Each structure stands twice: as structure tokens, then as C-alpha cells.
């Protein structure tokens, strides 16, 4: 009698986790090749793995300077990982399916639904088409503007390469930059702190990449539909408030700081304040020295990084919608209301429980990693907390700790970037047992809270 081999069925979250892991390993393998390094000397595997993880998880934390360490081939590998990681490997796979005129199976649609953080499969293929068109159009436009601006400083050929690289990097909220050979290692765009074109285009890319593709689609179709979904209203209002409040706080705290804003003119102060408010939304680029900021500003940036971008975007963090739900819960509790109401819409209990669960898992993980790194890294606590939060939020900002990380520190930060990109809940669903429907409910009990 023939025994039937049991077929292993992977769930969409498991496929996403495995897919991202395989892309990272492939990228790390390519980056260890001698041709990937500018010196021609093979890069240690751990450094290559860290860089591949940071690029695929669109974070921007680097242990070696991108502009000086990597060759042209290495930079192409990195920017390819950023594009695949930002849009999602399933989105890129769908692009090839469209090119080959292949229909997507039900399983593939379920994976896309999970990857885009959507509640249903309805219109998922149509959304993916829009994602690809919007992303490539935005990146192309920004690359042209960057290239024209930098052609005055770098020459036309180099400016074109820099334009393409930074347009993709900033739109995908990655924060990788190539300015090491020009303005110094790990300098980001500090040389352009008061440059209108570079700042405005960079901020526009970060914001458009961070609000999410569903919101982008809503905005593009606003003329026809004349309305926005509740999700888009929450994302846009929360993002606008966080950016404005962030810019004001940074401006006040850093106005007289000689290491940051004090040396800039008024235009530079305003631009830098807004840029450093936008960048913690998981972008990772900086126009002023993060390590030189006052501790109050650094801690405030930690809060912004923890909140992060919006669902279905290229960014990380607990997301703006989660933060808004928690704030709504606080307000409802204080007012003695039973429901959380946003823009005349009541939120379901499942949304509230998911927001609380996601926030608590994220908070526990950041605390756990910070505690571990506090025992292995010889740096002050705020710097370590900043690094852990930046990794989880896939931000990429650093106070200078990344290049000095120990082997254990690199592994923990790489794991944190991976968890932050996929999302704690997706990882939990992938690793946890299959959910089963409860056959009964326990009687309701009461405990004292507060």
C-alpha cells in the first residue's frame, strides 16, 4: 500500500517571511563578492548580511559607508534590494506576471492581500497595477529633478546615477545615500540642509512613499470620486499633524544649538526642522547631525520613529492608523464614551484590539532589544534605545552606533529590521499555530483597572 506524502501548505504570512529571508540571503551572497566592493576585497559575510537586510527592509542603517565602500555593482545590488523590498517581492513578481500576461492564482492573490495589508482580495490586482504605475512615475520624476540639480555640482553622468539611486532610496523610505566620497562618510544630505530643491523633493518622496499605496490611489482618483475613504482621511490627518508638530518641536529645541540649526539661516532652519520631522517617518536620511542634537530632540525623534509610516506603505513602525486608534481610545475613555469615532465612523472592536496588540508587541520587542544591547554595546542608553527603535521602525537614523556594533549587536539589529519590515503580527501569524475557532466562551469576569 502506497503511503501518501503529506503536502506542506504554507500560509501567506509564512510565504512572505520566507520570501523576504531568501531575498536577503541572495543579496548578502552578492555583496560578499569581490566585485561588489570598491577595493576588490570581499566584504565579511556579516557586514554584507547586515547591509542586505537593511536594504531589503528599506531601513538605511549601515555598518560601512555606502558611497565609499561599495563598487558600482554593489550599489546596483543595494538599490535593487531596496526596490524589491520597498514595493514587496510579490508586487515585483506580479509585474513579471503582467508582462507575461499570466493570471494570478487565488493563493497569489491571498499573498498579495497580506503583503499590502488589505482586509479583502477585492480589487487587489487593480491596486497592484496602480502601485507599480504610481511608484515608477514618482521615482522617474524625482530622479530627473535630482539629476538636473546635481548636474551643477557633480557633472551630468554622476548626477544621473545619483538622481536614480536617491529617488528610489527616498521613495522607498530606505535612507541609503552615496555622498560619502563627496561630503564625508555617513554624511547623508547634510551638505544640502538649506537647499530648497533637494529638501522639498526628498520630503515629497518620503511622504508619498510613507502614506501608503491605498491613500495614493485615493488621492489620484479624488477628482472622479470626490471623496476619500476613512483610512485615507486618518492617514493624511495624522501624518500632517505629526509632521507639523515634529517640525515645531525640533525647531524650538534646536534653534540655538550650534551643532545643528544655529549655524543655518532662517530658511535653512525651517527646511531642516521639517526634514528632520519627515525623516523619522521611516526614511532615515538626515540634513543635520543627529548625534549633535539635544537629548530632548533625540528622544522626540524616537517617539516619531516608533509611530512610523502608514499601512500598505514602504515604511515601518506601528503605523499612523494604530497611533490614531490608541489616541481615539484614550479620548473616548476620558469622555466616558463606549465607541471610538473618527470622522463620524465608529471603529470595530477588532481594530482596537489589533492596535493594542501590535503596539504592545512592538514596545516589548524594542525594550527587549534595548536591554540586550545595553549589556553588549559600550554606549549610553539613549543611543542604544535610538538604534533599536530606528531598526524596528525601519527608519535608518542613527546617533553613530551602527558602525561600532559588536557581532551580537549587528545580528540583533538585523533581526529587528526584519521584524519591523514584515510587522510583528505578520511574523506572529507565520510562526504561531493555525488559529482554530473557539467552541465555547468563558463567562465574563471583572477586574479593577487603574
Amino acid at each position: 500500500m502506497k503511503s501518501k506524502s503529506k503536502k506542506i501548505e504554507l500560509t501567506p504570512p509564512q510565504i512572505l517571511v520566507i520570501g523576504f529571508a531568501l531575498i536577503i540571503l541572495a543579496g548578502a551572497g552578492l555583496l560578499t563578492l569581490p566585485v561588489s566592493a570598491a577595493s576588490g576585497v570581499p566584504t565579511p559575510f556579516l557586514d554584507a548580511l547586515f547591509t542586505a537586510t537593511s536594504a531589503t527592509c528599506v531601513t538605511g542603517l549601515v555598518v560601512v559607508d555606502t558611497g565609499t565602500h561599495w563598487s558600482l555593482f554593489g550599489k546596483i545590488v543595494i538599490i535593487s534590494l531596496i526596490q524589491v523590498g520597498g514595493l514587496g517581492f510579490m508586487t515585483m513578481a506580479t509585474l513579471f506576471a503582467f508582462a507575461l500576461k499570466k493570471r494570478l492564482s487565488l493563493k497569489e492573490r491571498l499573498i498579495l492581500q497580506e503583503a499590502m495589508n488589505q482586509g479583502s482580495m477585492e480589487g487587489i490586482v487593480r491596486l497592484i497595477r496602480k502601485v507599480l504605475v504610481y511608484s515608477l512615475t514618482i521615482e522617474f520624476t524625482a530622479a530627473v529633478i535630482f539629476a538636473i540639480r546635481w548636474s551643477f555640482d557633480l557633472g551630468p553622468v554622476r548626477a544621473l546615477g545619483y538622481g536614480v539611486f536617491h529617488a528610489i532610496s527616498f521613495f522607498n523610505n530606505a535612507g541609503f545615500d552615496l555622498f560619502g566620497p563627496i561630503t564625508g562618510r555617513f554624511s547623508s544630505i547634510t551638505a544640502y540642509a538649506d537647499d530648497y530643491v533637494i529638501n522639498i523633493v526628498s520630503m515629497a518622496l518620503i511622504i508619498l512613499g510613507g502614506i501608503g499605496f491605498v491613500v495614493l490611489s485615493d488621492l489620484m482618483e479624488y477628482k472622479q470620486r470626490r471623496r476619500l475613504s476613512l483610512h485615507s482621511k486618518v492617514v493624511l490627518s495624522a501624518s500632517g499633524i505629526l509632521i507639523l508638530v515634529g517640525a515645531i518641536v525640533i525647531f524650538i529645541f534646536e534653534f540655538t544649538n550650534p551643532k545643528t540649526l544655529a549655524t543655518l539661516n532662517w530658511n535653512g532652519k525651517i527646511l531642516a526642522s521639517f526634514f528632520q520631522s519627515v525623516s523619522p517617518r521611516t526614511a532615515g536620511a538626515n540634513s543635520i547631525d543627529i548625534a549633535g542634537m539635544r537629548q530632548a530632540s533625540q528622544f522626540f525623534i524616537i517617539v516619531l520613529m516608533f509611530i512610523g509610516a502608514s499601512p500598505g506603505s514602504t515604511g515601518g513602525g506601528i503605523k499612523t492608523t494604530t497611533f490614531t486608534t490608541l489616541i481615539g481610545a484614550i479620548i473616548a475613555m476620558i469622555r466616558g464614551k463606549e465607541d471610538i469615532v473618527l470622522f463620524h465612523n465608529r471603529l470595530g472592536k477588532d481594530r482596537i484590539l489589533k492596535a493594542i496588540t501590535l503596539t504592545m508587541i512592538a514596545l516589548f520587542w524594542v525594550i527587549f532589544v534595548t536591554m540586550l544591547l545595553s549589556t553588549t554595546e559600550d554606549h549610553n542608553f539613549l543611543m542604544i534605545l535610538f538604534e533599536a527603535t530606528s531598526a524596528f521602525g525601519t527608519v535608518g537614523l542613527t546617533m553613530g552606533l551602527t558602525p561600532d556594533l559588536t557581532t551580537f549587536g549587528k545580528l540583533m539589529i538585523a533581526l529587528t529590521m526584519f521584524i519591523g519590515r514584515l510587522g510583528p503580527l505578520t511574523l506572529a501569524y507565520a510562526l504561531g499555530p493555525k488559529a482554530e475557532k473557539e467552541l465555547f466562551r468563558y463567562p465574563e469576569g471583572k477586574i479593577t483597572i487603574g
Side-chain angles (χ1 to χ4, degrees), residues 13-175:
Q14 288 172 336
I15 292 173
L16 284 178
V17 171
I18 293 170
F20 267 97
L22 291 176
I23 291 169
I24 290 169
L25 289 174
L30 291 173
L31 291 177
T32 54
L33 298 175
V35 70
S36 295
S39 63
V41 178
T43 302
F45 179 75
L46 183 57
D47 290 347
L49 178 66
F50 189 97
T51 304
T53 304
S54 184
T56 307
C57 298
V58 290
T59 305
L61 291 174
V62 290
V63 289
V64 293
D65 180 67
T66 308
T68 57
H69 180 84
W70 302 108
S71 65
L72 176 61
F73 178 79
K75 291 166 187 171
I76 292 173
V77 171
I78 289 171
I79 205 63
S80 301
L81 290 174
I82 290 172
Q83 187 72 291
V84 172
L87 298 183
F89 75 93
M90 277 306 300
T91 304
M92 300 304 292
T94 305
L95 174 62
F96 290 109
F98 289 158
L100 297 172
K101 296 182 179 179
K102 176 181 175 294
R103 287 183 62 83
L104 297 179
S105 66
L106 177 62
K107 186 74 176 279
E108 289 167 337
R109 290 169 189 262
L110 283 169
I111 298 169
L112 283 172
Q113 177 191 335
E114 181 71 28
M116 299 304 295
N117 200 16
Q118 295 300 294
S120 70
M121 287 189 297
E122 185 181 355
I124 192 67
V125 175
R126 187 166 62 251
L127 175 62
I128 295 300
R129 284 198 180 97
K130 292 175 184 177
V131 166
L132 292 168
V133 172
Y134 296 160
S135 301
L136 296 177
T137 302
I138 292 168
E139 288 174 350
F140 175 79
T141 305
V144 171
I145 298 172
F146 276 150
I148 294 172
R149 169 61 187 86
W150 280 325
S151 63
F152 297 100
D153 302 337
L154 311 174
V157 177
R158 197 176 191 182
L160 180 61
Y162 272 50
V164 172
F165 187 97
H166 291 91
I168 295 173
S169 177
F170 290 172
F171 176 73
N172 287 288
N173 281 213

Side-chain angles (χ1 to χ4, degrees), residues 136-426:
L136 296 177
T137 302
I138 292 168
E139 288 174 350
F140 175 79
T141 305
V144 171
I145 298 172
F146 276 150
I148 294 172
R149 169 61 187 86
W150 280 325
S151 63
F152 297 100
D153 302 337
L154 311 174
V157 177
R158 197 176 191 182
L160 180 61
Y162 272 50
V164 172
F165 187 97
H166 291 91
I168 295 173
S169 177
F170 290 172
F171 176 73
N172 287 288
N173 281 213
F176 280 78
D177 72 273
L178 301 178
F179 287 100
I182 302 169
T183 56
R185 295 167 67 245
F186 310 110
S187 58
S188 194
I189 61 168
T190 51
Y192 296 94
D194 55 357
D195 188 294
Y196 279 101
V197 175
I198 301 302
N199 276 269
I200 292 173
V201 174
S202 298
M203 285 190 285
L205 283 170
I206 295 166
I207 292 170
L208 290 173
I211 59 177
F213 297 114
V214 173
V215 180
L216 270 179
S217 178
D218 262 10
L219 290 174
M220 293 294 182
E221 296 176 356
Y222 182 75
K223 280 188 177 180
Q224 291 80 29
R225 299 171 61 185
R226 287 293 173 185
R227 64 183 181 85
L228 293 173
S229 65
L230 173 63
H231 173 80
S232 295
K233 289 177 183 178
V234 171
V235 166
L236 292 172
S237 57
S239 299
I241 292 170
L242 286 170
I243 290 170
L244 181 60
V245 171
I248 293 171
V249 170
I250 291 171
F251 183 84
I252 292 171
F253 286 159
E254 299 298 318
F255 184 79
T256 58
N257 186 350
K259 297 179 181 178
T260 55
L261 297 186
T263 56
L264 300 174
N265 57 31
W266 271 95
N267 292 336
K269 285 179 170 66
I270 294 171
L271 281 174
S273 298
F274 271 97
F275 190 89
Q276 287 315 136
S277 176
V278 169
S279 189
R281 312 304 309 289
T282 84
N286 58 285
S287 60
I288 55 177
D289 182 20
I290 300 297
M293 297 178 81
R294 294 193 169 112
Q295 287 190 349
S297 303
Q298 292 167 344
F299 188 78
F300 183 73
I301 287 177
I302 289 173
V303 175
L304 292 179
M305 291 193 298
F306 187 74
I307 296 170
S310 301
S313 72
T314 58
I318 62 169
K319 306 296 191 293
T320 52
T321 49
T322 303
F323 177 71
T324 304
T325 301
L326 296 177
I327 295 297
I330 293 171
I331 294 172
M333 181 63 69
I334 292 173
R335 290 182 173 178
K337 304 290 185 181
E338 187 176 340
D339 297 321
I340 299 174
V341 178
L342 301 173
F343 294 99
H344 307 291
N345 285 267
R346 174 175 56 84
L347 295 188
K349 299 295 183 184
D350 61 321
R351 301 292 91 189
I352 302 167
L353 287 174
K354 187 174 182 180
I356 295 171
T357 304
L358 176 60
T359 303
M360 293 308 297
I361 293 175
L363 187 61
F364 285 148
W365 182 257
V366 170
I367 291 171
F368 174 69
V369 173
T370 303
M371 287 175 62
L372 286 181
L373 294 182
S374 296
T375 64
T376 62
E377 313 302 314
D378 188 20
H379 290 278
N380 69 65
F381 177 78
L382 187 62
M383 183 180 285
I384 294 170
L385 176 62
F386 194 101
E387 192 84 4
T389 310
S390 179
F392 174 78
T394 68
V395 180
L397 292 175
T398 180
M399 292 168 61
L401 174 59
T402 315
D404 299 332
L405 286 169
T406 61
T407 299
F408 178 79
K410 290 176 184 178
L411 290 172
M412 285 305 301
I413 292 297
L415 178 60
T416 303
M417 289 189 288
F418 186 71
I419 292 172
R421 177 64 183 97
L422 288 168
L425 287 182
T426 298

